[in-house]
Amino acid sequence: MNKRLYPKITNIETTNLCNFNCPICVEKTPPYGFLKMDLLDKIIYYNQKILRGQKIWLHFRGEPLLHKDLFQIIEKLNEVGVETRLSTNGFLLTQPNIEKILSSKLGGIVVSLITLNPRMYQKLRGNSYFLTVKNNLLNLIKQAKKVGSQLKIQVMGLNYGCEKEITKFINYFHQKGVEVAIHQYSTRLGKSRYQPKGVNLPSWVKRYPCYWLFNNIIILFDGSVTTCCHDLSGRMIVGNLKDFGYSILSIWNSKEYDLLRNNHERMIFNKACRNCVDWVYGHPQTKKYYVCIYPVRGNRYFL
């Protein structure tokens, strides 16, 4: 598998702190923190060429609306040609925050409602905020239409095994004029606290080197870099940008990163990779995909 010349920067994590403690997530462990503006300034200064034209999510392990400087981060990245997006659990989509979002340069927002079933929501989220989040989301949709916003709004649902409820979820939000993304369940490299049955792999599936190692990186709030979108425990950190002169290309081409790639090409899977089952998504033999997008108009497509 060939390594990309310039990696796709999928996420710059604004914080790993969250206002929820969901069973479907991993157990959070210190250190906790927020992306500091001086670190962001260094990332921008030393990586302007690679940043331009990127579409970057401003979340990873936490709730981005907790960051007091979130809208300044959006502005700074927009100035160097980055389209920013974020995913939120929706609890902090208050009217003041909605107004800030709609007046910002944010390109897209995903609201993770998961389900229209309040009891299932409580099981997966571990709280009873379903109505609050749903009403916040509906208000965001309403306010965006009212001001004629170009912000792309998407609502996220989770495939927890009930096709009727998934269909109801998709139809409900299509009637609201909103695109829907249905995510498959992820074990978070075996660290999710919610482990339903049915995630075992077929014995005939041959494992391939991981796509992420050769194409994408994630920058955590403290400048650390991880290789995997499922690594919410930070077990696959390959280094910190500060040790590479804040250069994304330097860490991308580092011996540490290349060692991981070489091991995968030799079918050697160490650390968290050994416990991973999420590599099946996008695999040519399984034809499984982690995310299925249902546009309001047009055919569904997979990511």
Side-chain angles (χ1 to χ4, degrees), residues 8-272:
K8 181 179 179 182
I9 307 163
T10 54
N11 304 66
I12 295 179
E13 180 183 69
T14 48
T15 182
N16 64 341
L17 286 165
C18 190
N19 51 341
F20 281 13
N21 186 24
C22 304
I24 55 174
C25 196
V26 301
E27 191 70 52
K28 298 295 174 65
T29 56
Y32 305 113
F34 294 89
L35 175 66
K36 294 181 179 179
M37 300 308 290
D38 63 339
L39 173 58
L40 177 65
D41 288 340
K42 289 185 174 92
I43 292 172
I44 290 173
Y45 180 80
Y46 289 104
N47 299 280
Q48 289 195 35
K49 182 178 179 181
I50 188 174
L51 284 168
R52 185 165 300 278
Q54 296 264 6
K55 297 180 179 181
I56 299 177
W57 295 100
L58 298 180
H59 71 281
F60 185 55
R61 298 172 296 178
E63 170 52 57
L65 289 172
L66 289 171
H67 200 301
K68 65 181 181 64
D69 297 319
L70 174 64
F71 297 98
Q72 187 179 354
I73 292 170
I74 293 169
E75 184 69 29
K76 281 178 174 284
L77 288 169
N78 179 262
E79 288 174 356
V80 292
V82 174
E83 180 185 321
T84 53
R85 304 175 285 181
L86 62 83
S87 180
T88 173
N89 57 43
F91 186 77
L92 295 176
L93 283 176
T94 59
Q95 182 63 27
N97 275 337
I98 288 174
E99 291 173 2
K100 290 177 184 178
I101 288 167
L102 295 178
S103 62
S104 74
K105 299 292 180 62
L106 187 69
I109 187 168
V110 176
V111 182
S112 179
L113 184 61
I114 293 184
T115 178
L116 288 175
N117 182 328
R119 285 180 293 182
M120 182 57 69
Y121 182 93
Q122 184 157 12
K123 179 178 180 180
L124 298 172
R125 283 295 195 204
N127 63 55
S128 55
Y129 299 144
F130 170 77
L131 282 178
T132 299
V133 173
K134 181 184 175 184
N135 289 336
N136 286 350
L137 169 57
L138 294 177
N139 190 33
L140 171 65
I141 296 168
K142 177 183 176 182
Q143 295 300 321
K145 290 179 179 178
K146 182 178 179 180
V147 300
S149 173
Q150 296 302 305
L151 175 72
K152 181 176 181 179
I153 300 173
Q154 185 185 85
V155 60
M156 187 274 262
L158 183 67
N159 183 359
Y160 48 84
C162 184
E163 292 296 330
K164 288 185 178 179
E165 291 193 2
I166 292 172
T167 300
K168 178 181 176 182
F169 188 91
I170 295 167
N171 291 339
Y172 178 84
F173 285 104
H174 277 183
Q175 290 170 7
K176 303 293 182 184
V178 176
E179 182 176 272
V180 174
I182 300 297
H183 287 226
Q184 301 300 317
Y185 169 73
S186 169
T187 71
R188 309 299 189 190
L189 303 184
K191 288 294 183 177
S192 172
R193 288 168 287 163
Y194 174 75
Q195 297 282 352
K197 296 180 180 179
V199 296
N200 293 329
L201 302 178
S203 60
W204 50 266
V205 175
K206 178 184 177 183
R207 187 164 182 179
Y208 280 42
C210 181
Y211 171 90
W212 277 75
L213 281 171
F214 298 84
N215 293 277
N216 308 65
I217 69 167
I218 293 167
I219 301 171
L220 304 184
F221 78 93
D222 62 353
S224 299
V225 169
T226 183
T227 65
C228 179
C229 67
H230 301 287
D231 186 25
L232 270 66
S233 298
R235 300 161 68 198
M236 296 300 294
I237 291 173
V238 292
N240 192 294
L241 286 174
K242 68 181 180 182
D243 298 320
F244 293 86
Y246 299 97
S247 167
I248 292 170
L249 282 182
S250 291
I251 197 168
W252 180 248
N253 294 316
S254 67
K255 63 181 180 181
E256 293 86 351
Y257 233 127
D258 281 340
L259 177 61
L260 284 171
R261 296 185 188 104
N262 291 338
N263 281 340
H264 269 239
E265 289 185 320
R266 294 157 55 201
M267 298 300 161
I268 298 172
F269 305 105
N270 296 320
K271 298 182 180 179

